[in-house]
Amino acid sequence: MRRLLNAAVAEAAQWYEEALYKIDGNGWLDNREKDRIGTAWCHGAAGIEVAAADLWYRTQRPRHLDVPRRSARSVWPVSFGWNHTSCHGDMGCWEVVQEAITAGVGPAGLSRQELDAHVIGGLEEYGAVSGLARDAFSPGPLPGLGGVAYQLLRMHPASDLTSVLLPDA
């Protein structure tokens, strides 16, 4: 019974998310501001994609691949460069795009190696930027440098580390 209830709740959440998708905005509305498209894990395409990719891996239902495709298109490359965190920065966006590439629905012509080089290049050029206020130091896994370090470890091709962006990895 609990599994059926969880499946029904997940299905309802997906329908709600789809109601927020705007084709002309290339993404999902962030209800905190009128007409703002959200791309972060905490408010937008990245969080929606991570959950959909997890559903794809668990169910292999082709309909779940459409969200990773649209999410990767929404975040690449416009959402990179503000900070490097997993919550609302490059590492969260990296998660979205690499999951889409792995599933075969990533941005046309973009390889995993090019994506990794883009993220690492930003770290090399600007240094690691974290925190909710951009320049404030935060050590945590989502809005902080702990998550940046963790995602860098996940970039290694032999890594079997799970995502910190999934509640039940």
Side-chain angles (χ1 to χ4, degrees):
M1 179 69 168
R2 183 175 178 189
R3 178 177 273 175
L4 291 175
L5 179 61
N6 289 343
V9 170
E11 188 75 21
Q14 286 181 314
W15 284 113
Y16 173 75
E17 288 168 350
E18 282 306 304
L20 296 175
Y21 185 77
K22 301 300 174 200
I23 293 172
D24 59 343
N26 192 34
W28 288 262
L29 288 174
D30 178 346
N31 285 332
R32 296 174 301 165
E33 292 181 36
K34 185 180 178 179
D35 297 328
R36 180 177 188 266
I37 298 296
T39 58
W41 173 80
C42 52
H43 293 282
I48 292 167
E49 188 278 343
V50 169
D54 185 55
L55 281 171
W56 159 249
Y57 291 121
R58 291 174 189 255
T59 68
Q60 297 295 301
R61 291 185 183 148
R63 73 182 180 100
H64 294 305
L65 281 179
D66 185 51
V67 172
R69 179 188 56 78
R70 289 183 287 148
S71 296
R73 190 178 68 215
S74 182
V75 303
W76 177 258
V78 298
S79 295
F80 286 79
W82 188 72
N83 79 31
H84 298 99
T85 67
S86 294
C87 182
H88 51 273
D90 290 5
M91 292 305 185
C93 291
W94 170 83
E95 179 107 8
V96 169
V97 179
Q98 73 86 21
E99 287 288 349
I101 290 170
T102 300
V105 295
L110 180 66
S111 72
R112 170 67 189 273
Q113 293 78 15
E114 291 168 314
L115 173 64
D116 292 358
H118 181 79
V119 171
I120 292 169
L123 285 165
E124 288 176 342
E125 186 172 347
Y126 303 108
V129 179
S130 71
L132 298 172
R134 183 165 160 80
D135 294 325
F137 173 74
S138 175
L142 292 174
L145 295 180
V148 174
Y150 189 84
Q151 292 289 67
L152 287 169
L153 291 171
R154 288 189 68 226
M155 280 185 186
H156 191 279
S159 173
D160 62 354
L161 294 172
T162 60
S163 174
V164 296
L165 300 179
L166 284 172
D168 184 20

